[in-house]
Amino acid sequence: MAAPRSPLDRTHPGLIAATAVVYLFLLGPLVIVFGAAFSNTTFLAFPPQGLSLRWFENAFANSAFRASFVTSMQVAFGGTGLALLLGVPAAYAMSRYRVQLPKALSVMFVLPILIPEIVAGFSMLRFLQVSLGLPVVAALLLGHALLVLPYTVRVIGASLAAFDFSAEEAAISLGSPPLKTFVTIVLPNIRSGVIAAFVLAFITSLNDVSISVFLTGPGVSTLPIQILSYVEQFFDPTVASVSVLLMVLTVAVMAAVERTLGLTTFTK
Amino acid sequence: MTQSLALDHVTAHYGTTRVLEDLSIRIAAGELVSLLGASGCGKTTTLRLVAGFMTPTEGTIRLGERDLTRLPAHRRDIGLVFQNYALFPHLSVADNVGFGLRQRGVAPDERGRRVAAMLERVGLAALADRYPAALSGGQKQRVALARALVIEPQLLMFDEPLSNLDAKLRVDMRVEIRELQRANGATAVYVTHDQEEAFSISDRVAIMDAGRIVQLDTPETLYQRPNSEFVARFVGFENMIPLAVTRREAGVAIAEGAEGTRLALPEAEFGRVPDRFVLGARPAGLAVTDADAPLGIPATLGLRTYLGRAYQYQCRTPGGALVADGPLDRPLETGQAARLVPLAQQCCILPDAGRR
């Protein structure tokens, strides 16, 4: 008589079924979007009828999409860069001086995640645009920097937790000034954390709706917001094509970052 | 050029906690001095002050003619060896060792020559292109050693360098460290909590407790003539027997202690015996003799353990528990009455630090 199978057995039917359902729900929507993007019909339809690239042409021809894409890129790169400029030193200070610094500090850096994004977006609108009177792009940049800051601090902090700070002291004792030591000794050893933080922050910023919807203004929009307003007026598959482009771009950015910076030449 | 190190009246704090108190020590050029003590005694703090990772609240630190007290750490020219090696994980063995030379602007080809020579000396020439992750603990510590030595620092400092290695390797490595330090002629500070390690390689040892140096002497002096109960316990005088001299005749001091304890101490063997004192005795310094002997400490033998060189007995005496070694040829039974007689070579006379 066969022993009852453990639920941890790789070939357990329940496990296989659960895995299949997860894949179905993860990939299903993507298949529909891809299908619709290449369809020939004038409305979102699945399964696609006919094959054409006309909705891609339509997307590229649309100046609003082009302009919002540029804004999205500026905001995603700028905001992520800003968040890294703040997040790397913050994460460093918090792991290096963990004993001396108050615990509340690390909680403060996660706050933006805890506040509902709608509320955060509205308060940023009040603060950045109404009170400070910042131009739309500047407000978007700051808003997105704040949005992704918790991710950068957390991810880089996790990577620093594995770093042995006595290596930093060793470098200093060998004659390397502190700031230079940070660049030559600390940074190379948390590189994978910085890259992961960049990718995570960049994608979060690129796909953000709830903050951007408050901070975009007349004539300036990010791509997700532009898609949203397009769908309110038109029902054709252009949005599907734009979504496909956005996905391809995201994957391309991740791959490029991983290729250029992430290749590990050493084993750790 | 090797230099002497001088700490004068150094006091240091962590926040509001004082961790070093008015510490002064002079280490001669080329000398190796160990700082020995339990964790929290201030030995690592002392090392970090000299390295420049901490600033003293009072006092000065000088290396030769230079005042280091407020000099930034990266300008002190000190070779440091850490407990956990502290190698740079992203650099090869050769680049780890060459790091300090690079900071000093040594030209690449000379740097290569010096790194190769140093790796040859620590027996790692074949591993120059490896990364630290691919090295054993002993190899890592050799890289750390080479990295600290290759810059020919004015001062070498070791922070428990061997405590992550296994016992056999510890003994080999400490000999190697001593040989390299001798050959290099560098002044050295060696921090450890391992008494044997400190004694075996040091010119002098500073025993530390609660932020102070309790005794600074050669290993031989510390081992035979500790100046306090604290140091005596540290070097293995497990038994502390308070006594008072009642009579002196013909160079022999007759001392009495707890009920029935009466000892004859020839001053030729024990040295000058003060009127009131504490006799420190290693287990091997208390001979177990017959209960009807006229002098000694009356004792009842307790648990017997076999140590190879002797049988050891946990003894009950009127003055408290004592540990004594008995002869191998004649194991004694638990509960048996005996007398314990001190042997001068394994005993020391300590000042009565106002106990009771």
Side-chain angles (χ1 to χ4, degrees):
Chain A
M1 209 175 92
R5 287 212 217 170
S6 152
L8 295 176
D9 185 343
R10 269 202 305 163
T11 56
H12 193 283
L15 193 61
I16 290 174
T19 312
V21 168
V22 168
Y23 270 101
L24 184 71
F25 280 97
L26 276 179
L27 297 178
L30 293 185
V31 171
I32 291 177
V33 169
F34 265 82
F38 290 96
S39 79
N40 200 12
T41 49
T42 53
F43 48 90
L44 276 172
F46 193 85
Q49 292 144 26
L51 255 177
S52 89
L53 290 175
R54 58 187 280 211
W55 303 115
F56 283 92
E57 277 168 40
N58 200 30
F60 279 111
N62 185 322
S63 65
F65 276 136
R66 287 208 309 269
S68 64
F69 171 75
V70 172
T71 309
S72 265
M73 280 293 134
Q74 285 169 340
V75 168
F77 274 111
T80 303
L82 219 57
L84 282 176
L85 277 179
L86 276 172
V88 172
Y92 171 81
M94 283 193 292
S95 26
R96 184 81 169 86
Y97 307 105
R98 188 164 25 98
V99 192
Q100 291 103 308
L101 291 174
K103 275 215 156 59
L105 208 61
S106 67
V107 176
M108 198 190 82
F109 278 99
V110 214
L111 274 184
I113 291 185
L114 298 179
I115 301 170
E117 279 188 33
I118 291 284
V119 178
F122 176 70
S123 48
M124 281 188 220
L125 170 71
R126 285 284 316 159
F127 179 62
L128 296 173
Q129 285 179 344
V130 180
S131 297
L132 292 181
L134 289 180
V136 173
V137 175
L140 265 175
L141 213 67
L142 284 178
H144 278 232
L146 272 176
L147 170 74
V148 300
L149 183 62
Y151 299 105
T152 64
V153 172
R154 278 285 144 152
V155 173
I156 294 166
S159 167
L160 276 166
F163 179 72
D164 176 9
F165 284 100
S166 63
E168 189 189 25
E169 292 187 337
I172 291 173
S173 79
L174 289 166
S176 172
L179 200 63
K180 187 179 170 197
T181 304
F182 180 79
V183 176
T184 56
I185 301 296
V186 182
L187 264 190
N189 286 299
I190 57 165
R191 193 169 57 171
S192 53
V194 175
I195 292 166
F198 177 86
V199 171
L200 194 63
F202 187 84
I203 292 172
T204 305
S205 166
L206 200 61
N207 292 327
D208 175 72
V209 172
S210 37
I211 301 271
S212 308
V213 83
F214 286 98
L215 296 180
T216 47
V220 183
S221 189
T222 63
L223 194 50
I225 303 301
Q226 192 55 43
I227 293 175
L228 206 63
S229 62
Y230 188 87
V231 172
E232 281 168 2
Q233 298 168 40
F234 307 97
F235 214 62
D236 63 49
T238 310
V239 285
S241 317
V242 174
S243 304
V244 167
L245 288 172
L246 200 56
M247 278 190 280
V248 169
L249 181 86
T250 306
V251 171
V253 167
M254 281 171 66
V257 167
E258 181 61 36
R259 278 264 144 200
T260 51
L261 299 168
L263 277 184
T264 43
T265 51
F266 57 92
T267 45
K268 200 197 164 195
Chain B
M1 181 53 202
T2 177
Q3 302 278 5
S4 63
L5 175 72
L7 276 72
D8 278 305
H9 305 290
V10 170
T11 298
H13 292 77
Y14 271 126
T16 54
T17 320
R18 185 166 54 197
V19 285
L20 273 196
E21 202 182 322
D22 193 29
L23 183 132
S24 296
I25 185 172
R26 271 160 209 283
I27 300 174
E31 191 183 22
L32 191 155
V33 170
S34 287
L35 306 179
L36 176 64
S39 60
C41 72
K43 56 189 194 297
T44 298
T45 304
T46 309
L47 180 132
R48 294 181 65 78
L49 284 166
V50 177
F53 300 136
M54 263 180 84
T55 311
T57 28
E58 274 168 59
T60 58
I61 301 167
R62 306 181 67 84
L63 185 59
E65 297 298 302
R66 287 196 303 155
D67 186 351
L68 298 188
T69 318
R70 316 249 164 236
L71 198 69
H74 66 275
R75 286 170 41 200
R76 295 199 177 193
D77 196 22
I78 292 172
L80 266 175
V81 179
F82 294 81
Q83 174 175 358
N84 48 1
Y85 324 122
L87 299 181
F88 310 132
H90 64 299
L91 297 180
S92 70
V93 166
D95 287 342
N96 262 278
V97 176
F99 187 86
L101 296 176
R102 204 189 189 105
Q103 306 309 315
R104 282 161 178 71
V106 175
D109 45 335
E110 194 201 331
R111 193 165 75 219
R113 263 199 311 279
R114 282 170 70 177
V115 168
M118 185 48 72
L119 285 177
E120 189 71 50
R121 237 167 98 190
V122 296
L124 290 178
L127 304 180
D129 297 325
R130 289 258 187 104
Y131 283 89
L135 300 178
S136 72
Q139 288 167 340
K140 282 183 191 167
Q141 200 51 288
R142 282 199 178 83
V143 175
L145 205 55
R147 185 178 65 179
L149 281 167
V150 77
I151 59 169
E152 292 172 5
Q154 302 186 346
L155 179 68
L156 264 176
M157 296 207 292
F158 302 88
D159 187 7
E160 308 240 2
L162 306 180
S163 31
N164 286 359
L165 304 177
D166 61 49
K168 169 83 177 76
L169 199 55
R170 270 211 292 275
V171 176
D172 295 347
M173 281 295 287
R174 75 187 187 209
V175 173
E176 205 166 317
I177 286 178
R178 179 57 157 161
E179 279 172 350
L180 284 166
Q181 180 262 339
R182 274 274 177 81
N184 202 268
T187 310
V189 178
Y190 192 102
V191 166
T192 179
H193 65 267
D194 183 328
Q195 183 219 316
E196 187 190 318
E197 195 176 300
F199 278 33
S200 65
I201 65 166
S202 308
D203 294 308
R204 286 188 299 157
V205 176
I207 294 184
M208 295 186 68
D209 179 40
R212 299 162 174 274
I213 292 176
V214 191
Q215 189 172 0
L216 170 62
D217 259 313
T218 63
E220 292 85 346
T221 306
L222 283 170
Y223 197 76
Q224 285 154 17
R225 294 199 304 279
N227 65 5
S228 62
E229 276 190 40
F230 179 83
V231 177
R233 281 187 198 282
F234 213 93
V235 296
F237 294 95
E238 287 180 44
N239 304 301
M240 295 295 161
I241 306 153
L243 295 164
V245 174
T246 53
R247 207 147 51 87
R248 295 174 195 271
E249 54 184 45
V252 177
I254 306 299
E256 295 187 13
E259 188 193 337
T261 298
R262 206 173 131 83
L263 304 173
L265 308 172
E267 294 203 296
E269 291 174 33
F270 284 87
R272 157 106 196 105
V273 180
D275 286 346
R276 296 183 61 83
F277 66 100
V278 172
L279 182 74
R282 295 200 166 90
L286 290 177
V288 181
T289 61
D290 294 335
D292 53 6
L295 292 170
I297 305 161
T300 309
L301 301 184
L303 181 72
R304 182 183 73 209
T305 51
Y306 176 63
L307 300 182
R309 59 177 165 80
Y311 285 109
Q312 192 162 83
Y313 300 91
Q314 307 295 319
C315 308
R316 281 194 313 273
T317 74
L322 296 177
V323 184
D325 287 357
L328 273 175
D329 54 351
R330 197 162 56 95
L332 303 167
E333 293 311 313
T334 298
Q336 199 170 328
R339 270 186 184 270
L340 307 177
V341 177
L343 306 172
Q345 303 84 10
Q346 302 285 350
C347 290
C348 62
I349 306 291
L350 300 164
D352 186 341
R355 59 157 64 198
R356 268 177 308 213

